[in-house]
CSV table of all heavy atoms in Angstrom, one decimal:
chain,number,residue,atom,x,y,z
A,1558,GLU,N,-5.1,-14.8,9.6
A,1558,GLU,CA,-4.2,-15.3,10.5
A,1558,GLU,C,-3.4,-16.5,10.0
A,1558,GLU,O,-2.1,-16.6,10.5
A,1558,GLU,CB,-4.9,-15.7,11.8
A,1558,GLU,CG,-4.0,-15.9,13.0
A,1558,GLU,CD,-4.8,-15.8,14.3
A,1558,GLU,OE1,-6.0,-15.4,14.3
A,1558,GLU,OE2,-4.1,-15.9,15.4
A,1559,GLU,N,-3.9,-17.3,9.3
A,1559,GLU,CA,-3.2,-18.5,8.8
A,1559,GLU,C,-2.0,-18.1,7.9
A,1559,GLU,O,-0.9,-18.6,8.1
A,1559,GLU,CB,-4.1,-19.4,7.9
A,1559,GLU,CG,-3.4,-20.7,7.5
A,1559,GLU,CD,-4.3,-21.6,6.6
A,1559,GLU,OE1,-5.5,-21.3,6.6
A,1559,GLU,OE2,-3.8,-22.5,6.0
A,1560,GLU,N,-2.2,-17.1,7.0
A,1560,GLU,CA,-1.0,-16.6,6.2
A,1560,GLU,C,-0.1,-15.9,7.1
A,1560,GLU,O,1.2,-15.9,6.8
A,1560,GLU,CB,-1.5,-15.7,5.1
A,1560,GLU,CG,-2.4,-16.5,4.1
A,1560,GLU,CD,-1.6,-17.6,3.3
A,1560,GLU,OE1,-0.3,-17.5,3.3
A,1560,GLU,OE2,-2.2,-18.5,2.8
A,1561,TYR,N,-0.5,-15.2,8.1
A,1561,TYR,CA,0.5,-14.5,9.0
A,1561,TYR,C,1.4,-15.5,9.7
A,1561,TYR,O,2.5,-15.4,9.8
A,1561,TYR,CB,-0.3,-13.7,10.1
A,1561,TYR,CG,0.6,-13.4,11.3
A,1561,TYR,CD1,1.5,-12.4,11.2
A,1561,TYR,CD2,0.3,-14.0,12.5
A,1561,TYR,CE1,2.3,-12.2,12.3
A,1561,TYR,CE2,1.0,-13.8,13.6
A,1561,TYR,CZ,2.1,-12.8,13.6
A,1561,TYR,OH,2.8,-12.5,14.6
A,1562,ASN,N,0.8,-16.6,10.1
A,1562,ASN,CA,1.5,-17.7,10.9
A,1562,ASN,C,2.5,-18.3,9.9
A,1562,ASN,O,3.7,-18.6,10.3
A,1562,ASN,CB,0.6,-18.7,11.4
A,1562,ASN,CG,-0.2,-18.3,12.7
A,1562,ASN,OD1,0.2,-17.4,13.4
A,1562,ASN,ND2,-1.4,-18.7,12.8
A,1563,LYS,N,2.2,-18.4,8.6
A,1563,LYS,CA,3.1,-19.0,7.7
A,1563,LYS,C,4.2,-18.0,7.4
A,1563,LYS,O,5.4,-18.4,7.2
A,1563,LYS,CB,2.3,-19.2,6.3
A,1563,LYS,CG,1.4,-20.5,6.3
A,1563,LYS,CD,0.8,-20.6,5.0
A,1563,LYS,CE,-0.2,-21.8,4.9
A,1563,LYS,NZ,-1.0,-21.9,3.7
A,1564,ALA,N,3.9,-16.7,7.5
A,1564,ALA,CA,4.9,-15.7,7.2
A,1564,ALA,C,6.0,-15.7,8.4
A,1564,ALA,O,7.2,-15.6,8.2
A,1564,ALA,CB,4.3,-14.3,7.2
A,1565,ILE,N,5.4,-16.0,9.6
A,1565,ILE,CA,6.3,-16.1,10.7
A,1565,ILE,C,7.1,-17.3,10.6
A,1565,ILE,O,8.4,-17.2,10.9
A,1565,ILE,CB,5.5,-16.2,12.1
A,1565,ILE,CG1,4.9,-14.8,12.3
A,1565,ILE,CG2,6.3,-16.5,13.2
A,1565,ILE,CD1,5.7,-13.8,12.7
A,1566,GLU,N,6.6,-18.3,10.2
A,1566,GLU,CA,7.3,-19.6,10.1
A,1566,GLU,C,8.4,-19.5,9.1
A,1566,GLU,O,9.5,-20.0,9.2
A,1566,GLU,CB,6.3,-20.8,9.6
A,1566,GLU,CG,7.0,-22.2,9.4
A,1566,GLU,CD,6.0,-23.2,9.0
A,1566,GLU,OE1,4.7,-22.8,9.0
A,1566,GLU,OE2,6.4,-24.2,8.5
A,1567,THR,N,8.1,-18.8,7.9
A,1567,THR,CA,9.2,-18.6,6.9
A,1567,THR,C,10.2,-17.7,7.4
A,1567,THR,O,11.4,-18.0,7.1
A,1567,THR,CB,8.5,-18.0,5.6
A,1567,THR,OG1,7.4,-18.8,5.1
A,1567,THR,CG2,9.5,-17.8,4.5
A,1568,THR,N,9.9,-16.7,8.1
A,1568,THR,CA,10.9,-15.8,8.7
A,1568,THR,C,11.9,-16.5,9.6
A,1568,THR,O,13.1,-16.4,9.5
A,1568,THR,CB,10.2,-14.7,9.5
A,1568,THR,OG1,9.4,-13.9,8.6
A,1568,THR,CG2,11.3,-13.7,10.1
A,1569,GLU,N,11.3,-17.4,10.5
A,1569,GLU,CA,12.1,-18.3,11.4
A,1569,GLU,C,13.0,-19.2,10.6
A,1569,GLU,O,14.1,-19.4,10.9
A,1569,GLU,CB,11.2,-18.9,12.4
A,1569,GLU,CG,10.5,-18.0,13.4
A,1569,GLU,CD,11.6,-17.5,14.3
A,1569,GLU,OE1,12.5,-18.2,14.8
A,1569,GLU,OE2,11.4,-16.3,14.7
A,1570,LYS,N,12.3,-19.8,9.6
A,1570,LYS,CA,13.0,-20.8,8.8
A,1570,LYS,C,14.2,-20.2,8.0
A,1570,LYS,O,15.2,-20.9,8.0
A,1570,LYS,CB,12.0,-21.4,7.8
A,1570,LYS,CG,12.5,-22.8,7.2
A,1570,LYS,CD,11.3,-23.3,6.4
A,1570,LYS,CE,11.6,-24.7,5.8
A,1570,LYS,NZ,10.5,-25.1,5.0
A,1571,LEU,N,14.1,-19.1,7.6
A,1571,LEU,CA,15.1,-18.5,6.8
A,1571,LEU,C,16.2,-17.7,7.5
A,1571,LEU,O,17.3,-17.8,7.0
A,1571,LEU,CB,14.5,-17.5,5.7
A,1571,LEU,CG,13.6,-18.2,4.6
A,1571,LEU,CD1,13.1,-17.1,3.7
A,1571,LEU,CD2,14.3,-19.3,3.9
Side-chain angles (χ1 to χ4, degrees):
E1558 193 156 0
E1559 183 178 349
E1560 291 299 333
Y1561 161 72
N1562 289 331
K1563 288 180 183 178
I1565 292 292
E1566 181 183 346
T1567 301
T1568 301
E1569 288 293 318
K1570 196 174 186 181
L1571 297 180

